[in-house]
Every structure is written in C-alpha cells, then in structure tokens.
Amino acid sequence: MASVIQHHRAISAHHSQLLAAVVELDRRKAWRVDGATSMVAWLVQQCGVAAVTAREWVTAATKLKELPKISDALSQGKLSFDQVKPLVQELNRRRDAA
C-alpha cells in the first residue's frame, strides 16, 4: 500500500514540474515553433492528451503562480492535480464575479 501512495506523490510532484514547464513554454509562445496555434493545441499534438486535459493543464499552470501554497503542496506530493483543479476553478469563478 505504501508503494502506491509513494508513486502517487511522485506523480503529483512531477505534475507540478510539468505545469511549470507548460507555463514557461506558453509565456514564450514556444509552441509556435511547431506550427501550433496555442499551448493547448501544442499539448494535444505533442503529448497526445485530450483537449480538455490540455486546457486544464494550461489553466492550472497559469493560476498556480498566484497560489503559492497550493503550488507547493502539489510539488511536494501533498495534493494531487485532481485536488488542485477545483481550487483553480474557484479562483477563476471569484475573478469573474469581481
């Protein structure tokens, strides 16, 4: 059982690194080099993920800069990406309401 938990924590930490790379590539618009029209399109093409997954990654990657405690928890494997998504969505909802 401990092995599953350790692997899951490692996956969450790697997911944090993935999101950091996504936000940096998107900031530099590096996806243009491969002829993509957006970071989402690039992730779909290059990583083979669904568009909805790519959108979630880009959205979370962008918003995690504003949520340092949540970002740290993800990088330490204390939160999973599935737990981070609704927190990011709530931040978006609050911004839209303001």
Side-chain angles (χ1 to χ4, degrees), residues 30-87:
W31 38 265
R32 289 180 175 171
V33 173
D34 291 320
T37 57
S38 68
M39 189 67 207
V40 170
W42 187 88
L43 288 165
V44 169
Q45 293 167 359
Q46 300 297 319
C47 296
V49 298
V52 66
T53 300
R55 269 190 298 281
E56 288 172 346
W57 288 359
V58 171
T59 299
T62 303
K63 297 300 179 191
L64 280 175
K65 294 183 296 185
E66 302 170 44
L67 303 166
K69 290 182 182 179
I70 292 169
S71 181
D72 288 347
L74 179 64
S75 70
Q76 295 168 16
K78 294 177 181 176
L79 286 178
S80 71
F81 185 69
D82 287 337
Q83 292 170 307
V84 168
K85 283 190 299 187
L87 299 172

